[in-house]
């Protein structure tokens, strides 16, 4: 997802300010929709790549449960509804100006390109290789990637969303199986199953940054990093993360229900 810039005038001299836009238009401009399109396929791939080969019954139930799950159009509408009136007209105007700028278009194009299924494996392999060399070869770039991830709270948000989704799904499944547990026990079980989650999210975020922005100049990268510390950028990202987390949790709960219906544990 593209990031935001607050003070456009000193950073982009001569850029004509775009008119205030809606959250929908901002999300369309920054590649957010493309990111949402990858959630369903990514979720399915993660389940299928889990240790051990799932039996055919589980794969069939997974396919049935995924019908209509994590639908990008539905999620996007729900996120927009949750974000309605959360940003000022000034915020939206500044965000629109950035996405209309050459740098905004460049970054958005890079992020959309890297979100494609074909790029996922390359992003992980090449990203890890690039990242491993950066501390000694280009420590300044490495430090900037770290600051960017910290400024958008990538690890904190990723962990929170993953745990909330996992809790919703696990609670639904346990209930469907006739084995409901108290909230604290469900969370304890979830945390045990997700040991190393925070470390994995941090590694993935840094590897992704190293791969996606590998060809950007340090000058452009610093301008892009300025989005993360800007008031408008922080407000947008904070609101987007809250809305995305809530919608993803709802989708996970719904998926858990359909999955256990498909497995024959309960009636629809």
């Amino acid at each position: 997802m593209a990031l935001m810039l607050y003070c456009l005038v000193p950073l982009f001299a001569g850029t004509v300010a775009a008119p205030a836009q809606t959250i929908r238009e901002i999300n369309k401009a920054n590649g957010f929709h493309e990111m949402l399109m990858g959630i369903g396929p990514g979720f399915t791939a993660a389940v299928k790549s889990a240790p051990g080969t799932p039996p055919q019954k589980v794969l069939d139930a997974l396919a049935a449960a995924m019908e209509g799950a994590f639908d990008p159009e539905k999620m996007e509408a729900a996120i927009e509804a949750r974000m309605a009136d959360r940003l000022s007209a000034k915020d939206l105007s500044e965000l629109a100006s950035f996405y209309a700028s050459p740098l905004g278009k460049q970054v958005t194009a890079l992020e959309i390109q890297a979100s494609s299924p074909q790029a996922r494996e390359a992003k992980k392999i090449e990203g890890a290789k690039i990242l491993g060399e950066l501390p000694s070869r280009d420590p300044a770039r490495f430090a900037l990637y770290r600051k960017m991830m910290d400024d958008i709270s990538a690890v904190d948000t990723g962990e929170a969303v993953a745990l909330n989704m996992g809790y919703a799904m696990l609670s639904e499944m346990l209930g469907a199986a006739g084995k409901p547990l108290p909230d604290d026990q469900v969370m304890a079980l979830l945390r045990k199953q997700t040991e190393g989650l925070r470390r994995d999210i941090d590694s993935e975020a840094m590897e992704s940054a190293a791969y996606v922005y590998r060809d950007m100049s340090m000058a452009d990268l610093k301008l892009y990093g300025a989005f993360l510390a800007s008031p408008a950028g922080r407000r947008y990202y904070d609101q987007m993360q809250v809305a995305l987390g809530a919608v993803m949790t709802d989708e996970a709960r719904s998926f858990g229900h359909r999955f256990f219906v498909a497995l024959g544990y309960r009636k629809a």
Side-chain angles (χ1 to χ4, degrees):
M1 181 171 26
L3 309 175
M4 297 13 25
L5 179 64
Y6 181 65
C7 299
L8 287 163
V9 175
L11 293 177
F12 294 98
T15 298
V16 177
Q21 297 189 13
T22 65
I23 288 293
R24 171 177 287 271
E25 290 168 325
I26 294 297
N27 291 347
K28 292 290 185 185
N30 67 13
F32 183 71
H33 180 76
E34 285 76 8
M35 184 275 288
L36 290 178
M37 288 178 65
I39 290 176
F43 183 85
T44 301
V47 173
K48 290 183 177 180
S49 64
T53 302
Q56 190 60 45
K57 178 181 179 181
V58 173
L59 293 178
D60 291 343
L62 172 65
M66 283 302 297
E67 291 184 10
F70 303 103
D71 177 76
E73 298 290 347
K74 183 177 70 173
M75 287 194 295
E76 191 167 21
I79 288 167
E80 290 164 2
R82 286 178 177 273
M83 292 184 69
D85 302 322
R86 297 288 183 172
L87 298 176
S88 69
K90 183 173 183 291
D91 288 336
L92 294 174
S93 181
E94 289 170 351
L95 297 177
S97 293
F98 169 68
Y99 291 121
S101 72
L103 179 59
K105 292 179 180 179
Q106 176 194 7
V107 170
T108 297
L110 289 174
E111 291 173 348
I112 291 176
Q113 183 180 21
S115 69
S116 68
Q118 297 81 1
R120 285 178 192 153
E121 192 65 21
K123 183 166 57 176
K124 183 170 182 59
I125 296 173
E126 292 300 318
K129 181 180 178 181
I130 295 170
L131 188 66
E133 298 172 349
L134 278 181
S136 58
R137 181 172 59 82
D138 195 345
R141 181 177 284 264
F142 180 85
L144 185 52
Y145 288 151
R146 168 57 61 199
K147 185 177 186 303
M148 290 168 66
M149 296 303 102
D150 290 345
D151 284 343
I152 62 172
S153 301
V155 179
D156 290 340
T157 300
E159 182 183 38
V161 170
L163 289 175
N164 286 339
M165 287 180 63
Y167 173 83
M169 192 181 306
L170 186 57
S171 296
E172 181 69 32
M173 290 179 177
L174 288 170
K179 300 178 181 179
L181 292 176
D183 290 351
D184 59 339
Q185 292 185 33
V186 174
M187 187 55 72
L189 178 60
L190 180 62
R191 287 191 177 278
K192 183 177 180 180
Q193 293 176 340
T194 56
E195 289 180 1
L197 174 65
R198 187 176 181 84
R199 180 191 63 244
D200 293 343
I201 292 173
D202 180 68
S203 295
E204 184 174 349
M206 288 292 287
E207 289 168 2
S208 179
Y211 178 80
V212 175
Y213 312 123
R214 64 193 184 281
D215 294 327
M216 285 184 66
S217 69
M218 277 296 287
D220 284 345
L221 198 59
K222 287 178 180 178
L223 289 177
Y224 188 51
F227 287 111
L228 303 174
S230 68
R234 285 183 181 275
R235 282 191 286 270
Y236 175 84
Y237 228 92
D238 287 348
Q239 293 300 325
M240 176 58 70
Q241 288 167 343
V242 170
L244 176 61
V247 171
M248 291 281 285
T249 298
D250 289 344
E251 287 294 310
R253 181 177 292 107
S254 178
F255 167 83
H257 173 82
R258 291 197 300 273
F259 185 54
F260 264 56
V261 167
L263 284 173
Y265 280 96
R266 64 185 298 174
K267 296 180 180 179

